[in-house]
Amino acid sequence: MLYATFMVAVFSLVLQFYLHAQISEARVVSANHESVEAHLIAEWTADIAREEMSSKIQMTKKSLRSSKMERELEAENVKNEAARKDIKVQGHLRFSKGQSHYQSDNHQLLVTVTTISGHEFFYSFPLPSKK
């Protein structure tokens, strides 16, 4: 009888260890999955923000070109570069798995992703610069 009790105790400890390992692995997989989803949301947000910035730059160039004459083209290029540096974008986007907030700052695009479970992830992407 003592041997049977001992074997049940050992089996119980082994089972408890195994279940704890399985639960820990499930939590790691879940956290990794959430992190990957947040990174994808940040990538999509960065693409949308870059498109927005490009369209603002194009609009600025068109407005400068329409108001300048051809002989001032050189001065216009300098102003275009200055306008490119001054253009800032920011906004919010909603996705089915969370939402994101983005803003540009010093040739960087800062993206904050909040998942539906409430966790926040922060990402920084370089903005293209004309050389």
Side-chain angles (χ1 to χ4, degrees):
M1 184 67 154
L2 186 60
Y3 179 74
T5 306
F6 175 73
M7 290 307 287
V8 167
V10 169
F11 178 74
S12 174
L13 287 173
V14 169
L15 182 62
Q16 184 179 7
F17 176 76
Y18 173 75
L19 290 176
H20 180 69
Q22 291 298 314
I23 290 171
S24 295
E25 181 67 23
R27 287 181 182 158
V28 167
V29 167
S30 176
N32 190 31
H33 182 70
E34 186 177 23
S35 174
V36 168
E37 285 178 345
H39 191 266
L40 285 173
I41 290 173
E43 288 283 344
W44 289 334
T45 302
D47 289 343
I48 291 169
R50 286 182 188 118
E51 288 175 9
E52 180 182 344
M53 184 171 253
S54 294
S55 67
K56 283 186 177 184
I57 289 170
Q58 293 299 325
M59 293 295 286
T60 304
K61 284 181 180 179
K62 285 180 183 179
S63 67
L64 286 175
R65 282 189 180 149
S66 66
S67 66
K68 299 292 179 187
M69 296 171 55
E70 286 297 322
R71 65 183 178 174
E72 298 175 348
L73 191 57
E74 179 102 13
E76 179 183 329
N77 287 336
V78 172
K79 287 183 181 180
N80 282 344
E81 286 303 313
R84 183 182 186 94
K85 291 178 184 175
D86 291 340
I87 292 179
K88 303 276 186 199
V89 293
Q90 67 177 17
H92 294 280
L93 296 172
R94 289 190 180 270
F95 297 91
S96 62
K97 298 289 184 174
Q99 62 183 0
S100 65
H101 172 74
Y102 63 93
Q103 67 181 30
S104 62
D105 186 37
N106 295 334
H107 303 293
Q108 293 285 322
L109 182 67
L110 307 173
V111 180
T112 303
V113 177
T114 305
T115 60
I116 55 176
S117 62
H119 296 115
E120 286 190 340
F121 296 87
F122 302 96
Y123 299 95
S124 177
F125 298 98
L127 288 174
S129 60
K130 190 174 182 180
K131 293 184 178 180

